[in-house]
Each structure stands twice: as structure tokens, then as C-alpha cells.
Amino acid sequence: MMATKWGICSAGKISNDFVVALETLPAEDHRAIAVAARDLGRAKEFAKTFKIPKVYGSYEELAKDPDIDVVYVGAIHTVHRDVVLMFLENGKNVLCEKPLAMNITEVKEMTSAARKNNVFLMEAFWSRFFPVYEQIRSLLDQKVIGEVKVVRAEFGANLLGVPRAVEKELGGGAILDIGCYCIQFALMVFNGEKPESVTAKGFLYETGADETVTVILQYLGKRQAILTCTLVTALPNQAAICGTKGMIQIPSHIWSPTSIIVNGKETKYPVPPTTKALNFSNSTGLSYEAEHVRQCLLKGLKQSPIMSLAESELLASIMDEVHIQLGINYNRE
Ligand SMILES: NC(=O)c1ccc[n+]([C@@H]2O[C@H](COP(=O)([O-])OP(=O)(O)OC[C@H]3O[C@@H](n4cnc5c(N)ncnc54)[C@H](OP(=O)(O)O)[C@@H]3O)[C@@H](O)[C@H]2O)c1
């Protein structure tokens, strides 16, 4: 079997970490063969760091490269729609960073384009491929904690110094940047089910982006998810899934967990080691999603069974509803 040949779109922070993660995987399975950035100099610098053979000073050139099996889009979310549509129209499979786009209209354009062009598309919710998340899905399937009644999840960090996290025109806002992790967590636990209602309360930052938000997803059968995110302060960043027969807890980093507690018993799953510099904690865990994408492509799948296009659409529609309730609009037309 041949190595999956990755094209890297943009030379920013998460692209750095993604390529470091690829390097923790066997070279016969994964190779970054091209990188494109808006600025050729930055692309060259990135290529030099990782010994990537092909370098492009525009995303268009990457889209035209016939050797690429799949493009990883690590650009900021405001550009996801346009660049992903370009890759899909050029017949490229795409793994696109979260959130897939700014609103449900854009997400639907992208999922439709993937279907129309018969290519693979997945929103890069790397969390879902961590061993802890696999373990959660397996425990829920086996009904180890009975029927899930309450889910709690939180993601908070002081991101006020990160322009793309707070500036609305760069896609800033707590829900789009980090709250999406909490919502996708609840969606996974409730197996992609649509909530009966979405209720959001929160505050806006001085830029007009959402700063601190709590969302309640209410489900038929007296089930709830209570999700909190904030850009102003660290939270414990824990999660709990509470059922009629027990509890599953993630002690920290719900987005990249290395430990799970099931009815009081903890199991640890360290991420792969690296000596390379990372921008985000536990980023070598991006290797789990990269390997998942390789397996999907080897099977000829056009979407992931773990992070499906329908779930990306449901997630985007919930985020839109939260924004409406907070009085914010991320529509661009
Ligand atoms: N999975 C994770 O753990 C994780 C962690 C952090 C971020 N993310 C997601 O990854 C994406 C990028 O985040 P990041 O922290 O890596 O961001 P970043 O380093 O600030 O920017 C990433 C790239 O976006 C492009 N870009 C930046 N500003 C732009 C602008 N004003 N207009 C057009 N393009 C611009 C640049 O591409 P060029 O290099 O081509 O110039 C830049 O290198 C976001 O969607 C974010 O939500 C995911």
C-alpha cells in the first residue's frame, strides 16, 4: 500500500502541528509532499523545516497538483468555505480544520460540493479519534453507564491576545473557536441526534464576538447537555457523561484528552512523543485523525463514519442558533 500524500494548505500554527503529528506516523503510510501559503517565502520556510519537496505561493497551485491524495486545510475559518470549495471542485479530498465554516449556509455549500464531486470531506475534529473518545463510544454502545441523562462539557482559556480568536472579521468568537468542541462532544454522546431545543446565554466581547457562553441542548426523554465556553479565562476543561448506571469523566482537555475515568477508575492514553516544537498541547494527537482519514481513503469512503457531513451540518446549525440568541450574525452575504 502506498503512502497517503498530503498537501498542506497554509503555513500557520496548526499546520505546523499537523505536520509534526504526521511525522510521528510511519513514513510508508503518510507523507506531506506539498505546502501552499499565500506568501511563497513563508511556504518555503515551512517546507524547509519539514523537508517538504513541493512549495507553492498560492492555494490555487496546490489545487492543481495532480499528485495530492488529500489536502489538509489549516487556514483560519473565514477562508475555509472558499478554499475548500476550490479544492473540492478540483477533485481533491479534504480534511478541513474546525469549524468547517462560518455558518450553516457555507457548510451546506461545502458538503454539497463534496457530494457533487464525489470526493472525501471531513471537519477536522481531531478529538473524536483520540483513544479516550473511542473508548467513550464503545462504553456508550455497551450501555456501561446505562441511559445517558446529563452531559457536561467546558472549554475555557484566556485567548484575548489571539486576534483570530477575538476579532469578528477573522472568525473570532468563543463558540466558533472553542465552544464547537463542547457541542461536538454532546452530539457524539447523543449519537448525532438533533436536540429538541437549543438555549444559549452569554456575553459579547468589545469586538462584538461572543466571549462567554453557556448552551443547553435539551433532548427528548428528559436528557440534557450543559456546555460552557469562554475566551477570557481558563476553566477546568472537564467533561462528564452521567447515566442511569454510572459516570464517565474526562478530567481535562476535553478536546485532546489523555485520560478517562469510568465509574471512578482512571485509564491513561499518552499522545505520541515528539522532540519538535508544537503550538498547541497534545498536538501529536492530530496523528489519530490523519490515520483515520487514510483508512477512509483506502476504503474509498467519501465521508467519515465517525465525523459525518450530517453531523457537521447539525453542529453548524446549532452554532447558528446560539449566535442568533446572542444577537450575533456571521452571515456574509
Ligand atoms: N485542531 C486544533 O487543535 C486547532 C488548534 C488551533 C486552531 N485550529 C483551527 O485551525 C485554524 C487555523 O488556526 P491557527 O491557530 O493555525 O491560525 P493562524 O496560525 O493564525 O493562521 C493560519 C493560517 O491562516 C491564514 N490566515 C491568517 N490570517 C489570515 C487572514 N487575515 N486572511 C486570510 N488568511 C489568513 C494564513 O495562511 P498562509 O500561511 O497561507 O498565509 C495562516 O498561516 C482555525 O480554523 C482554527 O479554528 C485547530
Side-chain angles (χ1 to χ4, degrees), residues 11-14 37-38 42 59 74-77 97-98 126 164:
K13 294 190 190 70
I14 194 65
R38 292 172 302 165
R42 276 169 40 72
Y59 302 154
I76 60 171
H77 14 295
E97 262 309 331
K98 44 54 63 180
W126 62 316
R164 70 153 191 82

Side-chain angles (χ1 to χ4, degrees), residues 10-15 36-39 42 59 72 74-80 97-99 124 126 164 170 176-177 181 255 280 283 286:
S10 98
K13 294 190 190 70
I14 194 65
S15 292
R38 292 172 302 165
D39 171 73
R42 276 169 40 72
Y59 302 154
Y72 170 76
I76 60 171
H77 14 295
T78 47
V79 305
H80 286 179
E97 262 309 331
K98 44 54 63 180
W126 62 316
R164 70 153 191 82
L170 297 178
L176 283 173
D177 195 31
Y181 279 104
W255 60 96
F280 303 103
S283 272
L286 289 159

Side-chain angles (χ1 to χ4, degrees), residues 19-329:
V19 179
V20 173
L22 285 184
E23 288 182 346
T24 68
L25 293 164
E28 61 270 25
D29 289 350
H30 294 268
R31 283 176 53 215
I33 67 155
V35 57
R38 292 172 302 165
D39 171 73
L40 183 60
R42 276 169 40 72
K44 280 186 174 164
E45 209 176 300
F46 191 96
K48 197 172 158 206
T49 305
F50 295 106
K51 300 189 176 65
I52 296 175
K54 295 195 213 184
V55 189
Y56 299 119
S58 73
Y59 302 154
E60 290 78 7
E61 291 167 87
L62 181 64
K64 301 286 178 206
D65 184 332
D67 288 342
I68 304 294
D69 292 323
V70 52
V71 176
Y72 170 76
V73 175
I76 60 171
H77 14 295
T78 47
V79 305
H80 286 179
R81 186 256 312 254
D82 290 351
V83 301
V84 169
L85 286 179
M86 179 181 66
F87 289 125
L88 297 174
E89 297 295 347
N90 280 276
K92 296 285 181 289
N93 300 304
V94 175
L95 170 65
C96 176
E97 262 309 331
K98 44 54 63 180
L100 197 51
M102 299 301 293
N103 54 55
I104 183 64
T105 309
E106 294 186 3
V107 166
K108 282 195 170 163
E109 279 181 74
M110 295 154 82
T111 54
S112 303
R115 291 184 180 106
K116 188 185 92 193
N117 291 288
N118 198 30
V119 287
F120 178 89
L121 173 64
M122 188 181 99
E123 184 171 14
F125 270 112
W126 62 316
S127 321
R128 290 215 170 175
F129 309 98
F130 271 63
V132 164
Y133 274 58
E134 280 183 5
Q135 178 78 358
I136 290 172
R137 289 192 294 272
S138 161
L139 292 164
L140 294 176
D141 278 353
Q142 296 167 56
K143 298 248 178 258
V144 168
I145 59 163
E147 191 201 352
V148 175
K149 299 302 280 183
V150 175
V151 174
R152 301 187 70 110
E154 63 203 6
F155 190 157
N158 184 338
L159 299 175
L160 298 183
V162 181
R164 70 153 191 82
V166 292
E167 299 298 336
K168 211 166 158 262
E169 64 276 16
L170 297 178
I175 283 288
L176 283 173
D177 195 31
I178 55 180
C180 57
Y181 279 104
C182 302
I183 300 173
Q184 70 76 32
F185 182 78
L187 293 187
M188 183 186 80
V189 172
F190 290 125
N191 215 9
E193 193 178 325
K194 189 172 180 224
E196 196 186 9
S197 68
V198 176
T199 309
K201 292 292 278 181
F203 315 102
L204 304 190
Y205 188 53
E206 60 196 33
T207 56
D210 46 315
E211 175 184 309
T212 298
V213 188
T214 292
V215 177
I216 300 178
L217 304 180
Q218 193 141 293
Y219 287 84
L220 286 174
K222 298 183 179 175
R223 296 168 297 151
Q224 268 191 351
I226 305 109
L227 315 167
T228 299
C229 59
T230 178
L231 297 173
V232 287
T233 180
L235 294 176
N237 293 329
Q238 298 173 346
I241 307 168
C242 309
T244 48
K245 291 187 192 157
M247 189 191 299
I248 300 170
Q249 291 163 279
I250 296 180
S252 182
H253 281 42
I254 71 140
W255 60 96
S256 58
T258 53
S259 157
I260 182 172
I261 301 172
V262 183
N263 292 330
K265 185 173 178 298
E266 184 170 19
T267 311
K268 297 194 175 182
Y269 298 92
V271 290
T274 183
T275 53
K276 293 268 178 78
L278 293 169
N279 294 304
F280 303 103
S281 52
N282 294 342
S283 272
T284 53
L286 289 159
S287 57
Y288 305 131
E289 73 173 354
E291 179 55 22
H292 174 75
V293 170
R294 172 174 164 78
Q295 292 306 322
C296 287
L297 296 180
L298 289 174
K299 289 180 193 136
L301 301 181
K302 304 304 173 194
Q303 60 176 305
S304 160
I306 308 291
M307 187 64 222
S308 68
L309 298 179
E311 247 189 289
S312 287
E313 289 170 358
L314 177 57
L315 172 63
S317 66
I318 291 172
M319 293 197 291
D320 273 15
E321 176 58 28
V322 171
H323 287 144
I324 289 168
Q325 292 185 22
L326 296 176
I328 328 173
N329 186 342

